Amino acid sequence: MEIITEYGTILMVMAIVFGLYMTWGIGANDVANAMGTSVGSGAITVKQAIIIAAIFEFAGAFIAGGHVTATIRKGIIDPTSIVNNPEILVFGMLASLLAAGIWLMVASNRGWPVSTTHSIVGAIVGFTVAGIGMDAVQWGKIGQIVASWVVSPVLGGTIAFVLMMSIRGLILNTENPFVSAKRWGPIYVFLVGFIISLVTLFKGLTHLDIDLSVGMSFVVATLFGVLLAVIGWFMINRVQVDTSADREFHFASVEKVFTPMMVFTACAMAFAHGSNDVANGIGPLAAVVSIIQSGGEVAQKASLPNWILVLGGVGIVIGLATMGYRVMKTIGTRITELTPTRGFCATLAAAATVVLASRTGMPVSTTHIAVGAVIGVGLARGVGAIDLRVIGGIVLSWLITLPVGAVLSAIFFFTLKGMFT
């Protein structure tokens, strides 16, 4: 308790700096989940992606990022044994933020799309084992994360593969692909509206006081899907055949039909991402602020003042603007060649997988889903269409995220403990 009283201001400043650094890492690495396919397919430029993400990620973080968060994310440790030593938790959260932030910086610099959730979970496990003991870790939760390494990409990839094959059968392989695209386009627009509505209702608005039942959510999503399909029908009918572009690429005019859908899905995914994953950075920060302001009380929940939400949103936007292009390049161009139809299938598959996981409680990672979905659309053209060497590097980065975060966090924990005690 004395340490909290004596060094409270210094610890608070460190928490703000480390929290901003961690959210910067989220923006640099994780936002590519929503934007990588749009940029890689040529639907939008990197500059446009940054503007879209800046608006919708910040809006998601600030409007629907929640006003209360669990002090220890994902329930992975049992804090009861350190109730009388709150400084242990403060040191641990500071160490975790710094460790996860550094790992995200390294991964982003190399273009590796890693899970920000796994980064912070690994870091928290590291300080827990080092500072409290092995028994304080809920190892069952860690087992769920390991399972998600397989479940997430397989599920996202399978749905993307099915979507891609449907577009190929219904549109690309028909006698007149452009006419077929206009005929089936509104159906795919309906799917966009339906799935994205469910993502927003199930994930993006869970922190707001909007409590819809599952049935009501499906009704709202259906109505929004129909509305969007009608708007899409008008927009699609305005698209004209571009004969000069078709001479260079046979399906150029067909691809133009799918471009507006990509932009819409990117906006909605950015909003949902901002509302959910910002907590990976500001949750530990809120825990430290709560302990210091209460004079050392370790609570299960901590409030999220507006300034913390703003800090999280700002950090994400700066991270995306400064280094986000590296991971976007990996997802959008290095795994396989994307076009608007392929990017559309990957993004819609990722959104559908998030909905499925959120309603069934499956342990999934949005990063792994996005990568799996891109691999899925690549596999629709055969194994030769995907770069196995790039995929190997990505999988390796997933495997080492947890242990690297844990080791770094343990080192920083002992360093902080030595500095203040």
Side-chain angles (χ1 to χ4, degrees), residues 14-27:
M14 291 176 74
I16 292 170
V17 173
F18 293 173
L20 187 63
Y21 182 49
M22 170 62 182
T23 53
W24 173 87
I26 294 173

Side-chain angles (χ1 to χ4, degrees), residues 129-328:
V129 171
I132 307 175
M134 294 283 285
D135 294 340
V137 178
Q138 308 286 345
W139 291 105
K141 294 280 184 184
I142 307 302
Q144 289 181 359
I145 289 173
V146 172
S148 77
W149 290 339
V150 178
V151 174
S152 306
V154 168
L155 204 54
T158 303
I159 296 175
F161 182 86
V162 171
L163 274 171
M164 195 63 234
M165 294 307 285
S166 77
I167 287 181
R168 182 175 289 178
L170 294 173
I171 297 173
L172 300 179
N173 289 348
T174 59
E175 195 171 327
N176 192 330
F178 186 73
V179 172
S180 299
K182 284 197 165 188
R183 183 188 303 141
W184 290 102
I187 302 296
Y188 285 103
V189 176
F190 168 80
L191 279 177
V192 170
F194 182 72
I195 298 293
I196 293 300
S197 297
L198 288 181
V199 170
T200 308
L201 291 168
F202 289 157
K203 300 284 283 183
L205 300 181
T206 50
H207 302 300
L208 298 180
D209 294 330
I210 300 175
D211 190 18
L212 295 178
S213 65
V214 174
M216 199 61 205
S217 297
F218 273 92
V219 171
V220 171
T222 303
L223 291 174
F224 188 73
V226 171
L227 174 66
L228 205 66
V230 173
I231 296 171
W233 182 80
F234 280 106
M235 292 176 68
I236 287 169
N237 276 301
R238 292 167 65 90
V239 178
Q240 300 296 320
V241 172
D242 187 342
T243 49
S244 60
D246 282 347
R247 272 197 291 273
E248 295 178 13
F249 176 51
H250 183 57
F251 297 113
S253 298
V254 176
E255 297 291 351
K256 283 171 66 177
V257 175
F258 282 84
T259 301
M261 301 184 213
M262 284 295 303
V263 176
F264 184 78
T265 50
C267 295
M269 286 297 286
F271 182 86
H273 177 266
S275 64
N276 279 283
D277 287 11
V278 71
N280 285 332
I282 62 177
L285 166 60
V288 174
V289 171
S290 169
I291 291 170
I292 293 172
Q293 289 184 337
S294 66
E297 184 186 348
V298 179
Q300 290 293 326
K301 299 276 186 180
S303 63
L304 275 175
N306 284 339
W307 69 267
I308 291 184
L309 286 166
V310 170
L311 184 140
V314 168
I316 285 179
V317 172
I318 295 174
L320 174 66
T322 53
M323 206 183 267
Y325 65 92
R326 291 177 184 269
V327 181
M328 277 197 283

Side-chain angles (χ1 to χ4, degrees), residues 365-412:
S365 155
T366 49
T367 304
H368 299 183
I369 291 171
V371 172
V374 172
I375 294 172
V377 295
L379 284 175
R381 293 186 296 135
V383 177
I386 56 176
D387 191 329
L388 294 174
R389 205 172 64 169
V390 172
I391 294 170
I394 292 172
V395 172
L396 180 64
S397 71
W398 292 353
L399 296 177
I400 64 175
T401 291
L402 230 61
V404 167
V407 171
L408 284 176
S409 180
I411 293 170
F412 294 142

Side-chain angles (χ1 to χ4, degrees), residues 20-31 100-101 104-105 108 116 315 319:
L20 187 63
Y21 182 49
M22 170 62 182
T23 53
W24 173 87
I26 294 173
N29 199 290
D30 222 18
V31 178
L104 288 175
M105 185 184 71
S108 302
T116 53

